[in-house]
Structure formats: C-alpha cells, structure tokens
Amino acid sequence: MTSAQVEETDKTPEEGYERGLGSRQVQMIAIGGAVGVGLFLGAGANIAKAGPSLILMYALAGVIIFFIMRALGELLLYRPVSGSFAEYSREFLGPFFGYFTAWTYWLMWVVTGMAELTAAAIYVHYWFPSVPQWTTALVFLVVLFVANLISVKLFGEIEFWFSMVKITALIGMIVIGLGVLTFGFSSAGDTASVANLWQFDGFFPKGIGSSLMTLQGVMFAYLAVELVGVTAGESEDPEKTLPKAINTLPWRIALFYVGALSVILCVVKWTEFAPGVSPFVEAFAKIGIPAGAGIVNFVVLTAALSSCNSGMYSTGRMLRTLADNGEAPKAFSRLSASKTPALGITISVAFMGIGVVLNYVVPEKAFGYVTSVATAAGIWTWLMILVSHVLYRRAVDAGRLPASSFPAPGGAKCSYVAIAFLLFVTGLIAYDADSRVCLYVMAGWAFALWIGWLVLKSRNPQVTERREPEFEKAL
C-alpha cells in the first residue's frame, strides 16, 4: 500500500473503503442476518419449553427487532458510516460508549465465530465421521479468512449464496408443510392439523412464565440483523439499499420465523420435539422424506458458515473504527491493496482460531455459555442503537442536527418500548441460573475495558475527549 493510500485511510473512518456491496447483496445480507442457527437448531429446545406459544414469542421479539432496525435506519441515513452503532454511541453518548460498544461488538462476533466453527465441523461430521472435527473447522476458518481478505465483493457474494440456500430451504419447508396440511399426503398427513396448536394442553402448555423464559433464546436467534448497519460504508447506494433492506424485515420475520414455526407445529404436535434436535429435521422425518435430515444438515451448515463469514467481516471493520478513533493500535486503520482491513480481520480470525483448539478440551455446555455471552453483547449493541436514536431525535427536535431522510415511525416512542423490552429480557437472563453466567462474563469484560480506557486516557488524553462527528465525503 502506498503512503498516499495510508494517508487517505487516516482522514475519516469511511475513506478508502470500496463501495462493493450492491443492492442484491445488501438485501441478502439483511435476510441472512435474520435467519440463522438460532432458528434451525435453537427452536427445538424452546418448543419443548413453551409449546406452540413460541410462535407468539418470535412475533413479539420480531416487532421489537423491527423497532431497533428502524431506529438504526434513521441514524444510518443521517450519517452512513461503517462503524455504525459504535460511531453513533460515540457521537451521542460520548467517547467511552463508542469505545465500549465497538469492542463489545467485536467480542460478540469472535465468540460467535468460535461456536459456529465448531458447529460447522459437527455438521460435516454427520456425513464424514472419520474426519477429525478440528480439521474441518480449520479448513472452514482458512477458506472464509482468505475470501474476506480478497475483497468486500467476494464477501458479499459468498453471503448472498449462503443466504440464498437458507431462504430457499425455508420456503421449501413451508410449501411442503402447507401441502401436507392441505392435501394430507405423507405419513404425517393423518395427524397434521391447525388444531395441533391448541389441542395438547392449550397454546401455553407450560404457562406464560415458561414461555417468557424462552425470550432470551429467541433474541439469540435474531442476532446479526444489525449487520446491515455495518455494511453502510461499503454499500453502493445507502440512500436506496438500506431503507429497502430494513423495510422488508417485517415480512421476513413473519414468513421465516412465525410462518415456518406455525407450519411445523401444525404438521407435528409440539410434544414430539425435544432439545438438541432441529425441529425441521424432526418434521421432515415425520413427513417421511428420506433425505430430509441430510438436507436440513446442509442448510444448518450454510447458516453456521454464513455467521462465521459475517463475523470476520464485521470484526475487521470494528477494529478499524477503533483504530481510527485512537482506541486500538493505529495499524488496524490501514487498508490492504484490495481495500479490506486485512490486519483487523487477521487478528480477529486468530482469536476465532482458538475455537479450533478448544474443540479438544471444551465441553459442549461451554459453547452454550459462549452463545449466551454473544446474546448479552448483542443486547448491549441494540440498547446503544436505541439510546443513540432517542438522543438523536431530541437533537433534531431542538434544531441542532439535520433530520434523517428515513425517520422511524413513532419517533422515539418505539425506541423507549424496545429499551424496556431489552431490559426485561436482561432480567430474565439474570433470573435463569444457566444463562446468568454470561452476565458475570460481561461484568468482567466491562471491568477490563474500563481499565483499558484509564490507560488510554493517561497516555493519550485527547482520544478520550468528545469531538464533532466527521460526515462522510461524497464519493
């Protein structure tokens, strides 16, 4: 990279990035972000806990996710930056919150990457039991790492096809399920009925309290919907692509979560699902499709690789944002010849690689803890988006900032509702003994970041001072 290129990367957080993500790719990144392993695998345990009422929990959480994304959308169209919510936290809440949010989002994707790599290796083990899991995990890690280094276009293309596989499979499952309900074919046809939603101990078979306790798992399933915000600095036309991607979120949630689960729970009664088994695999087995388990295993594999791919993309961008603000080593701010934050991606992948090593020694339950840490970090990120949005709307109302071209419906009111909901879910996490450990981890992480902030403040005081945001230059 030439000295001129290095100087250019030092000007503003956005200069130097390639606007290589087209509308087609941003749309699929948004869709793929809303459909992941949390739905394909996690729904099994939640169905066992809540029965058919899980459909309502996904719908309720989906409404809140839409509030969060519309709040983010308003901020993105006010000032499109690749640092996204970390930059807005820095602008509206102060430098420490920007620093904390960026590092916490980085942690979320690193630990998620560890879990997803191991999950992907387990899925391949289904077909090739003689291949060691660590070998498969390492191969996936290297392939995705190289793809992320080559260009943002290649990242977008890989994510497009991963998302296409997931979406096509889900639509196929819904269509087959509707066919069973309508025409009664397959071995499940005799018992398939909409009445399965309430016939077995009612819609809330375990009580409303048990249903509410699934919300923490439901929120994990929605992690990564905010990834579309990280793509803002590399979208070809953010004014057009971002609103479209965000506005299509309600129908994606209605179809892929509420719709898919409703159909499955009509075809197979909820009492036949168990934790640790994908409800989609179980439903295909009941319908009698021989290759059903293999098909769903392939789909879940793509979901895991998609998540890991997204993690590599976002962690590199977050480290660059931190470096641009003096909160991480300056070397992370430099871009490679292909305009990717290569060093940031490399360091992040090195930490994800710990997951390959841990395949030998970490019990399965530890990976459950990893996903709960990711959920806690995700809730923090969503809270920062919402609080920044509330403060932005106050500034707009007071005439201090320009209005966004994509205002959130209901203004700040919906953000207040979403904040209350996320605090409620945090309370549920604290109440549950198994998931509570993630709050202890986050407390330790917060303490470590606070120490880092004090060191940063003593060495480079101007970095920790509030400063005016740098608006993106026309490209």
Side-chain angles (χ1 to χ4, degrees), residues 224-266:
V225 291
E226 75 292 325
L227 182 65
V228 69
V230 184
T231 69
E234 293 168 278
S235 301
E236 288 176 352
D237 187 1
E239 288 278 344
K240 183 185 295 183
T241 57
L242 294 177
K244 187 177 179 183
I246 291 169
N247 277 336
T248 55
L249 189 65
W251 73 257
R252 295 199 306 268
I253 289 172
L255 178 63
F256 300 134
Y257 280 92
V258 179
L261 282 174
S262 297
V263 169
I264 279 179
L265 289 171
C266 287

Side-chain angles (χ1 to χ4, degrees), residues 32-108:
V35 179
V37 176
L39 171 64
F40 287 118
L41 284 181
N46 288 325
I47 289 172
K49 289 180 184 176
S53 64
L54 183 64
I55 298 167
L56 182 60
M57 296 301 106
Y58 270 106
L60 174 62
V63 171
I64 299 301
I65 290 295
F66 181 62
F67 290 166
I68 294 169
M69 291 304 294
R70 281 306 301 257
L72 178 59
E74 182 166 357
L75 292 168
L76 287 170
L77 271 296
Y78 146 69
R79 190 165 73 95
V81 286
S82 192
S84 190
F85 23 85
E87 282 297 302
Y88 303 131
S89 300
R90 181 173 286 106
E91 177 178 353
F92 295 107
L93 288 148
F96 176 76
F97 286 92
Y99 157 87
F100 192 96
T101 301
W103 275 113
T104 300
Y105 196 65
W106 177 84
L107 172 72
M108 184 195 93

Side-chain angles (χ1 to χ4, degrees), residues 162-426:
F162 277 158
S163 295
M164 184 68 79
V165 169
K166 291 187 286 187
I167 301 317
T168 302
L170 266 181
I171 292 174
M173 292 173 189
I174 292 170
V175 170
I176 292 170
L178 289 175
V180 173
L181 283 170
T182 307
F183 303 107
F185 63 80
S186 88
S187 55
D190 294 337
T191 56
S193 169
V194 175
N196 284 340
L197 295 179
W198 60 82
Q199 269 189 343
F200 301 94
D201 298 325
F203 191 68
F204 291 92
K206 301 290 184 74
I208 294 176
S210 184
S211 298
L212 290 174
M213 288 304 294
T214 64
L215 280 174
Q216 50 186 302
V218 168
M219 295 309 288
F220 172 71
Y222 283 122
L223 279 185
V225 291
E226 75 292 325
L227 182 65
V228 69
V230 184
T231 69
E234 293 168 278
S235 301
E236 288 176 352
D237 187 1
E239 288 278 344
K240 183 185 295 183
T241 57
L242 294 177
K244 187 177 179 183
I246 291 169
N247 277 336
T248 55
L249 189 65
W251 73 257
R252 295 199 306 268
I253 289 172
L255 178 63
F256 300 134
Y257 280 92
V258 179
L261 282 174
S262 297
V263 169
I264 279 179
L265 289 171
C266 287
V267 172
V268 182
K269 57 185 180 181
W270 73 270
T271 53
E272 297 189 29
F273 295 108
V277 179
S278 169
F280 295 91
V281 173
E282 188 70 22
F284 268 47
K286 295 292 181 185
I287 291 171
I289 298 177
I295 292 169
V296 175
N297 196 67
F298 175 72
V299 173
V300 177
L301 172 63
T302 64
L305 294 178
S306 169
S307 180
C308 192
N309 188 43
S310 297
M312 291 182 189
Y313 172 87
S314 55
T315 50
R317 272 70 186 169
M318 278 298 164
L319 285 181
R320 188 179 184 226
T321 296
L322 284 159
D324 281 321
N325 286 284
E327 296 159 355
K330 197 66 179 173
F332 287 137
S333 68
R334 297 180 179 178
L335 296 178
S336 66
S338 58
K339 299 184 179 178
T340 60
L343 182 60
I345 293 172
T346 303
I347 295 298
S348 301
V349 168
F351 277 96
M352 288 181 192
I354 294 172
V356 177
V357 179
L358 293 180
N359 261 338
Y360 285 117
V361 293
V362 177
E364 286 183 19
K365 197 167 184 179
F367 278 92
Y369 291 152
V370 164
T371 55
S372 69
V373 170
T375 305
I379 287 176
W380 172 268
T381 299
W382 291 335
L383 282 171
M384 289 301 97
I385 291 170
L386 294 165
V387 173
S388 297
H389 178 248
V390 168
L391 295 176
Y392 166 71
R393 288 304 292 251
R394 286 183 188 172
V396 171
D397 293 342
R400 297 193 304 273
L401 288 175
S404 171
S405 60
F406 187 47
K413 296 185 186 68
C414 291
S415 289
Y416 280 119
V417 171
I419 288 170
F421 180 85
L422 292 178
L423 293 177
F424 174 67
V425 173
T426 304

Side-chain angles (χ1 to χ4, degrees), residues 421-441:
F421 180 85
L422 292 178
L423 293 177
F424 174 67
V425 173
T426 304
L428 293 177
I429 291 173
Y431 180 76
D432 183 67
D434 285 338
S435 59
R436 191 184 303 148
V437 66
C438 75
L439 298 181
Y440 301 141
V441 172

